[in-house]
Amino acid sequence: MKFSVVIPVYNVEEYLEKCVDSILAQTCQDYELILVDDGSTDGSGRLCDAIREKSGCRVIHQPNGGLGAARNTGIEAARGEYMVFVDSDDYVSPELLSGIEQAMKEHPADIYTFGFTTTDGQKNLGVFLDELPERTPIRLETCPELLLALPNAWCRATRRELFLSSGIRFPSRVWYEDIRTTMKLFAVAESVVYLPEPWYYYLQREGSITRNSNLHRNREIIDAFEDLLGWYRRQGLFEKYHTQLERLCLDHLYLAASVRVLRIDPKSDLLRELRAYMEKTFPDYGKNPLIAQLPPAKKLAYRLLRMKAYGLLRLLFRLKDGK
């Protein structure tokens, strides 16, 4: 079997059938579908069982352990050669698996990565693609910009054996589990192939990390980078990829997390904590040559953060959002 498609399920009764239908509509049939009910308290668990009766998919019920734990359960139970993770409120193009399968015939690889489209459920909002060499095997050693790729676990297919041989798994009960996992997998992969198609549809809704108003949990980005950078140090890879790891931290911790916090509370102490972590971990980050590659909007946000102009930056985002 080529693919194991794993859908972690937790209180998503409203969205699950659309997600599952997008898998059942795949033009490639060489796959199994595994629904991991992670202790849902709504009707999602019963819905999983109803879907199993109709589709023949596999269903695993487990006590709540978080998204990472549900994915890990899928890895252990899988029978396919490649793992494909789909979040239960999202959906995918019917060509997803066939497109990856075709790429496998041309270029065998440990990881196939692709783009995604954001949607509000009614209309598409934007397309996100990586700036990587297309349709050719690459590896971190010769293409360190892999560390600047989208970290999301759901926009790639990963050889199951890579998880098993490396011991890398998703952490449980945390935010930012993808950064902690994907960037380690890139380091141990013999080859990665980038496919420039946005086959995945990411639903933007309240409750996701990028839109969640729980200010305190944004601090977990620090824990995520402590985990990731510690792993790179233990592997003897930190200095080798220092420039890329520094830019990765700047993108996700200093820029993205700071912006999420200041949009909620521009006077939050967490802004100071994020800045302090960046300065302590990467004292010379302002000299990173990859800052020049930031798109204009991110460059402006970076400059305003450096100036501690939090109120002005928040105002710009409010204007952008039309509020």
Side-chain angles (χ1 to χ4, degrees):
M1 185 178 295
K2 187 64 68 177
F3 302 103
S4 290
V5 181
V6 175
I7 303 178
V9 177
Y10 180 72
N11 291 357
V12 284
E13 188 175 9
E14 178 182 352
Y15 306 97
L16 183 58
E17 286 189 279
K18 182 174 183 178
C19 176
V20 169
D21 286 346
S22 75
I23 304 301
L24 300 179
Q26 292 298 299
T27 55
C28 167
Q29 294 300 306
D30 192 10
Y31 72 91
E32 64 173 351
L33 174 60
I34 304 174
L35 305 182
V36 181
D37 171 32
D38 190 45
S40 294
T41 58
D42 65 353
S44 297
R46 293 189 299 273
L47 181 56
C48 286
D49 292 335
I51 291 171
R52 174 176 53 194
E53 293 300 315
K54 293 189 296 183
S55 70
C57 71
R58 298 166 64 192
V59 174
I60 300 172
H61 297 282
Q62 67 179 31
N64 180 256
L67 178 60
R71 287 175 178 166
N72 293 338
T73 295
I75 292 170
E76 299 303 324
R79 300 167 184 158
E81 184 181 359
Y82 285 84
M83 305 299 307
V84 177
F85 301 103
V86 180
D87 284 359
S88 49
D89 50 354
D90 300 333
Y91 54 96
V92 299
S93 163
E95 287 78 37
L96 170 63
L97 298 183
S98 59
I100 299 172
E101 185 180 43
Q102 180 58 41
M104 289 174 175
K105 296 175 183 177
E106 299 168 1
H107 302 292
D110 287 331
I111 300 174
Y112 295 87
T113 184
F114 45 90
F116 68 95
T117 300
T118 56
T119 175
D120 62 5
Q122 302 297 322
K123 62 181 182 299
N124 295 339
L125 304 175
V127 171
F128 292 81
L129 300 171
D130 287 318
E131 295 183 7
L132 294 170
E134 300 177 5
R135 303 184 187 280
T136 185
I138 56 178
R139 58 187 303 178
L140 186 59
E141 186 172 7
T142 56
C143 187
E145 56 266 36
L146 260 176
L147 287 176
L148 306 183
L150 300 165
N152 314 84
W154 37 254
C155 58
R156 52 190 44 88
T158 303
R159 194 187 300 273
R160 179 172 180 262
E161 181 57 33
L162 196 63
F163 286 102
L164 301 182
S165 62
S166 67
I168 295 171
R169 296 292 189 277
F170 294 95
S172 301
R173 299 187 182 281
V174 297
W175 277 9
Y176 309 106
E177 67 283 326
D178 291 352
I179 289 176
R180 299 173 186 240
T181 307
T182 298
M183 301 310 171
K184 297 174 187 176
L185 291 170
F186 282 156
V188 299
E190 288 295 323
S191 58
V192 178
V193 170
Y194 168 57
L195 307 173
E197 282 85 16
W199 285 318
Y200 193 96
Y201 290 84
Y202 172 76
L203 178 65
Q204 288 193 347
R205 67 182 181 100
E206 297 300 327
S208 68
I209 289 178
T210 55
R211 297 171 69 88
N212 198 295
S213 60
N214 188 336
L215 187 149
H216 176 72
R217 293 210 66 181
N218 280 279
R219 194 198 177 281
E220 293 185 37
I221 190 70
I222 295 177
D223 301 329
F225 271 95
E226 282 290 279
D227 178 323
L228 177 65
L229 300 179
W231 185 89
Y232 267 79
R233 289 188 179 98
R234 292 191 297 275
Q235 306 303 313
L237 298 174
F238 181 78
E239 292 303 326
K240 184 174 184 177
Y241 299 110
H242 182 278
T243 299
Q244 290 74 29
L245 291 169
E246 185 176 65
R247 167 66 194 274
L248 181 72
C249 190
L250 187 146
D251 282 352
H252 293 276
L253 184 145
Y254 190 53
L255 283 176
S258 293
V259 166
R260 279 194 294 272
V261 171
L262 72 85
R263 293 177 81 164
I264 301 169
D265 179 9
K267 297 181 181 180
S268 171
D269 288 340
L270 185 51
L271 290 168
R272 174 190 52 77
E273 192 172 354
L274 293 170
R275 183 187 185 98
Y277 181 83
M278 192 75 205
E279 292 174 345
K280 176 183 176 182
T281 309
F282 297 106
D284 297 321
Y285 72 91
K287 300 177 182 178
N288 189 303
L290 300 180
I291 291 176
Q293 299 177 9
L294 286 170
K298 285 190 176 182
K299 276 185 181 177
L300 176 59
Y302 167 73
R303 290 174 184 147
L304 292 175
L305 283 173
R306 292 272 281 183
M307 296 165 56
K308 301 183 183 179
Y310 302 137
L312 176 57
L313 186 52
R314 184 171 188 248
L315 175 61
L316 291 176
F317 274 102
R318 290 176 68 87
L319 292 173
K320 175 179 176 292
D321 296 338
K323 295 181 179 179

